[in-house]
Each structure stands twice: as structure tokens, then as C-alpha cells.
Amino acid sequence: HPGGSWPIRVVADWEDGSVSDVEAQLVTDDDGLVSIDGMVVEAVSKGTASVTAKWAGHQDQMVVTILDDNQLRVTVVAAEDGTPIEGVKLKSDDDATPEYTDEMGVAAVVVTTGGPLSVTAYLSGYLPVTIVNTVARDVVIPLRSMEVFTSELGEVAGEVNYDDVPEGAFDDIIVGLAAPSFRTSPLLLNPDDLLAEDRTVDVFGVEANIPSNVYVREVADSYAVPILPGDGAVWTIAGALPIADVTGNLSGADDALALMQEHMDGMVWSWAVASNVESGESVSADLAPDTSLASTFAVDVGDLSLGFNGDEDAFVMVGEVLSEEGMVVTGLGLGTGVVSVSHSGQTFDDSIGSVAAAVVQVDGLGSGGAVCASYVEVDADASAAGAVVLPALPLVADLAGFDPETREFSVVTDPATTIVNVVIEGGDGTLRELYFAGDEQIGVLSNPGFPFGFARTTWSVVGLQLNTETFEGLLSQGDLLMEQLVGDASTSSQLVQDVHP
């Protein structure tokens, strides 16, 4: 609508396969309909105009339609299959009277401004969704079923064959770590999930708490790994570690990975397929680590971004993406700057690409702090020509404030973040979610019209920087689900924070 303004994004797709934003010259064919100030366009009056971006001898064009009907057209669909949903209640922060979607899932909400506007969709059995501060006036909102959203993880469990694991010194014990393939992307990895729940074991008379996906020969010869339902895989590394370190330093992900990193030259690797994993069920897959991590792969993680303490290590991974099982990690390392990743050299016939990724958590892996991650597709022989350079880590996400009485909130993410999804769990267990663009977003949670424990809430924030899409473009298509968008992403940020008086 007239008065609405928004930043334009111009993206260069380079010959080497990389993608980057560029500062282009913007021009319009009708400055009576739109005005341009640098990289920002403002709607002036009703009509259709084109905006052309020119940069380095190249140009591209977009069409802008400006409406003056004081309506926000909303289509609501089921997130699982895209079918229209009838009877969804819609309210904007401009309109006190709710509207309801028709049999085509469509409703028109009255608006009185061209500026940013928030709109909320409610329906029993689905997570309420609020689109925060959009200038788009034709949007598609996917609603996720409460039942699907709250489904349980599955589990892969099995025994370990140690025949091909090097023995080590007389005071060593063979220890291994098992972890699932990443069905979506390591950009959505929560490092707190790298190690499963603890189990208490007896290590030569010393009682130790060891995660169930860490196994120890003659002490805990089996493992168990949480995994998303569907087809997946488990990868593992194992080697000889000093007994004293095992009994005292395997309580957290940071400790376990750092200890294994110190002894990586003696570690061996393997993997196993885990098919048809069902929610809440366990499938069996035995492991036999047998491939040395003798190769190295150089990955340039760069510096830590604003919001870290400065002494955290990144968990750096290289791996292969399989069509069904997702990313299987074939090499790993710890550090910042240029990290030497110990690698098995394993390749797969059905691999659809090689990737590198880094995940960093404020206060260290497994601390529960905010997480930033970076990801890039790589040539399998890229490391021979020098370090693979990851995209710069984003700024650490921050829930700057939430007032339970006024329901006003402020969430800060990196300005380059394309889309942010927030799932809020109330003190009474009810859920709702928000979508908005990156940078600082200030808004007010609308009253959902049903009980919601605002006084005590848990906020789960996920932000993605996409290579080609924009937030307003995603809204127009209804492409808002993070697990589907992550394939086009280069960096991510995550935050889980409890808020209570």
C-alpha cells in the first residue's frame, strides 16, 4: 500500500558457485508510483511499476504492484501438504474485527496503513502463527498441526565391534562417539543434542556418568542415539583414550569432543544405515569402527562474531550428503581460524555433494548458550588447493526483552538474516510461533483468545541467511518452514531462552 517501504536485495550468482549481495544502482520506470532512496523502495500511489537493478554491466528487473484497497489478502494452508484450511481466524494489529478464511483458505483483513503490519492466524489443533511487520499485502501462511509438531524422536541403538580399533597404551581404554546423520542440515544442529542423556557406568571401580551415545569397551559396549523419524544413518569415531580422562572429562559435549580431538591420530571411523525409524520407536544398527582418520581437510572458519566470549571452539565437520539419509559426517575438528579436520576419506556412490560446516555455541558446546553455524558446499578435492572458506558466522541472536504484562517483545538477529522463526511455549504448555525478517524486530504478541502462560515462557529462535530469497518473497509463496528452507541457507543462528519473573 502507499506509504510502505522496504529494502531491495540484489544478489550476484558467481561463476565459482558462490552467491553474494551487491550494492546496485536502482532505477524505476515511474517515479510517480515508487520512489527510490539508495537500496530502499517506497510505494507512492496505486499502480504497477518496474524497478531495475544495475551492477557491473549486468541488470535485472522486478515488478512492484501498489494497492489502495485497504486489504491484506491472506491464504492459509496446511504446512504438511499445502491444502487450503477453512475457518481460520485472522487478526491484524490494525483491525479489531477478526476475519475467517473461506473454503479456499482465503480471507481479506482490513488495514489502514502502507507500513509494516502484523497478522495472526488461529485454529484449534494448529500452532497459532503471527507474521510480524510485513509490507506485503498478499501472503500465504502455513499452519503446522500441533500433533505433528509435538511428535517424538526415534532412536537408533546397537552393539559395537572393536576388532579394528587400535589398542593404545596399557592405561588406555577404547571409547567411541556415535551420532546421527543430519537429515535437514547441520545449520539446524543444536550442540546440546550431540550427546544423549547420561547413563551411569563403572569404569574399573570408578563410577562415571557417560552419555548413552558414548560407548566404552568392556564397560558400555552398546550405544543409543536420538534421531528424526524416517530414513537416516549413524556415524561413529572410536579410539584409545587415557582411563583417567574418561572417568573425569566426558560430562559434556565440549569435554568429550576436545578429548577425542587430542587423540584423533589414533581414531577410526565407520557408519551404518538406520532405515524406517518411527517416532518414539527404536531400530537396531551395529557399528564396527575400522577406517583411519589419516586424511586432513583444511576449513577456514574465520573469526567468532559479535556476541561470543572469544574463547569458544567451533565444531567443524566435513561430510557427504546422501539423498535419503542426509549429511553423514566423515571428518571433524575443533577450533577457529583455519582448522585441520581429520578425515576418513570415505566416499559414497549415492552422494549428491560434499559439504563443510561449523557450529559454535556461546560458552562452549553443550553449554545451552546461543548457537551460530555456517555451511558451504565444496568440491571433493577442494582442500588440496587450500582451505575451504566458510561464510562468516552471523551475529549471536538475542531475546532483548519480553514483558509478560504488555506482551511486548524485542528479538535481535544479524541484519543479513533472511527469515526468523520463533516458537514460544507458554507456562501452561501451549505453543505459538512467529515469523519475521532479520535485524531487530519489536512487536506485541496478540492475545490468542485462549489460555496462554505469558508469565513464564520459553522462546526457541532460529534464523537463516538464505542465498537467494527475501522475507517478503517467502511470504508471498508461503515458504516459511525452516527445515525446507535450510537447503538454500549459508548461515544460521539459534537461541533457546526461558523468560519468567
Side-chain angles (χ1 to χ4, degrees), residues 234-245:
V234 176
W235 57 270
T236 186
I237 59 170
L241 302 178
I243 294 173
D245 290 340

Side-chain angles (χ1 to χ4, degrees), residues 71-242:
Q71 288 186 346
L72 167 60
R73 178 184 167 90
V74 181
T75 303
V76 181
V77 299
E80 292 73 31
D81 57 15
T83 57
I85 304 179
E86 184 179 2
V88 179
K89 178 181 178 182
L90 297 169
K91 283 196 68 173
S92 76
D93 52 13
D94 239 18
D95 180 21
T97 305
E99 301 291 341
Y100 293 86
T101 57
D102 60 19
E103 66 277 5
M104 300 302 294
V106 177
V109 178
V110 175
V111 301
T112 60
T113 176
L117 185 72
S118 298
V119 61
T120 301
Y122 310 100
L123 184 65
S124 177
Y126 293 84
L127 267 71
V129 171
T130 300
I131 306 299
V132 180
N133 294 339
T134 174
V135 296
R137 292 298 179 257
D138 193 346
V139 305
V140 179
I141 299 178
L143 289 188
R144 292 196 277 182
S145 166
M146 197 76 70
E147 181 178 339
V148 172
F149 187 82
T150 56
S151 63
E152 296 181 65
L153 292 173
E155 180 186 79
V156 182
E159 303 295 321
V160 181
N161 182 329
Y162 300 95
D163 289 351
D164 294 310
V165 181
E167 290 290 338
F170 75 93
D171 57 351
D172 287 345
I173 189 170
I174 294 178
V175 178
L177 167 71
S181 59
F182 303 120
R183 287 262 307 284
T184 51
S185 167
L187 287 177
L188 297 182
L189 169 67
N190 183 343
D192 299 343
D193 297 333
L194 280 174
L195 295 183
E197 292 185 3
D198 281 353
R199 53 181 169 175
T200 301
V201 297
D202 184 282
V203 184
F204 302 123
V206 178
E207 190 174 276
N209 291 321
I210 296 179
S212 63
N213 61 326
V214 171
Y215 50 87
V216 184
R217 189 172 68 173
E218 298 180 0
V219 173
D221 290 322
S222 62
Y223 77 94
V225 173
I227 193 170
L228 289 171
D231 290 333
V234 176
W235 57 270
T236 186
I237 59 170
L241 302 178

Side-chain angles (χ1 to χ4, degrees), residues 46 49 58 68 82 168 261 269 286 305 335 357 390-391 445 449 480:
K46 180 182 178 180
H58 301 275
D68 65 357
Q261 179 74 11
W269 173 97
D286 293 338
S305 54
L390 290 172
L445 293 180
L480 304 180

Side-chain angles (χ1 to χ4, degrees), residues 372-438:
C372 290
S374 182
Y375 175 93
V376 68
E377 297 180 2
V378 299
D379 186 288
D381 300 320
S383 195
V388 171
V389 180
L390 290 172
L393 291 164
L395 304 182
V396 173
D398 179 34
L399 176 57
F402 174 61
D403 186 330
E405 292 187 6
T406 64
R407 303 191 305 281
E408 184 175 1
F409 68 88
S410 174
V411 177
V412 181
T413 55
D414 194 299
T417 298
T418 309
I419 181 171
V420 180
N421 171 239
V422 180
V423 176
I424 306 168
E425 181 176 358
D428 54 2
T430 48
L431 299 168
R432 63 185 305 172
E433 60 181 337
L434 317 175
Y435 290 99
F436 45 79

